[in-house]
Amino acid sequence: MQKTDSTRGNLSKNLICFNMKRASRLFPLPTTNMARVFQGERTFLSPVLAPCERPIYRISGVKPEDGMGWRRYAGSMLLINLVLLISLFIMLLTQHLLPLNPQKVPPFSAKS
């Protein structure tokens, strides 16, 4: 019996699927760990990261037990994007003064 091109194609697809299944069992995606983080449960990094997070939360006034709705999340995203836009604009205006400018690129002109 001679193998046709379609049989070879099916065989290669089956081998790819089999190897992907085997690889997913050997190297599972970190979905269970991510679910624990999002639900606020203890993870294997909690003893290391929790002491670092607490002072940051205290300084910024964040209560970790409070949730964040979509309106607050959208407002936070807009605020951080505005801050980053302004900082990028300042960097472009002062790039001739910044270190690591070996080509001596002139500053961005606000008029153009």
Side-chain angles (χ1 to χ4, degrees), residues 95-107:
Q95 70 182 354
H96 66 288
L97 303 172
L98 296 174
L100 302 176
N101 187 6
Q103 287 92 9
K104 305 295 183 211
V105 178

Side-chain angles (χ1 to χ4, degrees), residues 28-103:
L29 294 174
T31 53
T32 55
N33 191 38
M34 288 172 54
R36 287 184 186 140
V37 169
F38 293 141
Q39 292 172 355
E41 297 175 6
R42 184 177 169 87
T43 62
F44 70 97
L45 286 176
S46 293
V48 177
L49 295 179
C52 300
E53 289 176 347
R54 281 189 217 111
I56 295 171
Y57 287 157
R58 200 173 307 122
I59 291 168
S60 61
V62 173
K63 297 177 185 167
E65 59 273 356
D66 289 351
M68 182 182 275
W70 72 270
R71 286 186 176 103
R72 188 172 174 195
Y73 182 79
S76 299
M77 288 297 297
L78 289 173
L79 180 64
I80 193 66
N81 280 314
L82 180 66
V83 168
L84 291 174
L85 178 71
I86 291 170
S87 63
L88 175 65
F89 186 70
I90 290 171
M91 281 178 22
L92 286 174
L93 289 177
T94 62
Q95 70 182 354
H96 66 288
L97 303 172
L98 296 174
L100 302 176
N101 187 6
Q103 287 92 9

Side-chain angles (χ1 to χ4, degrees), residues 1 6 14:
M1 185 171 145
S6 64
N14 288 338

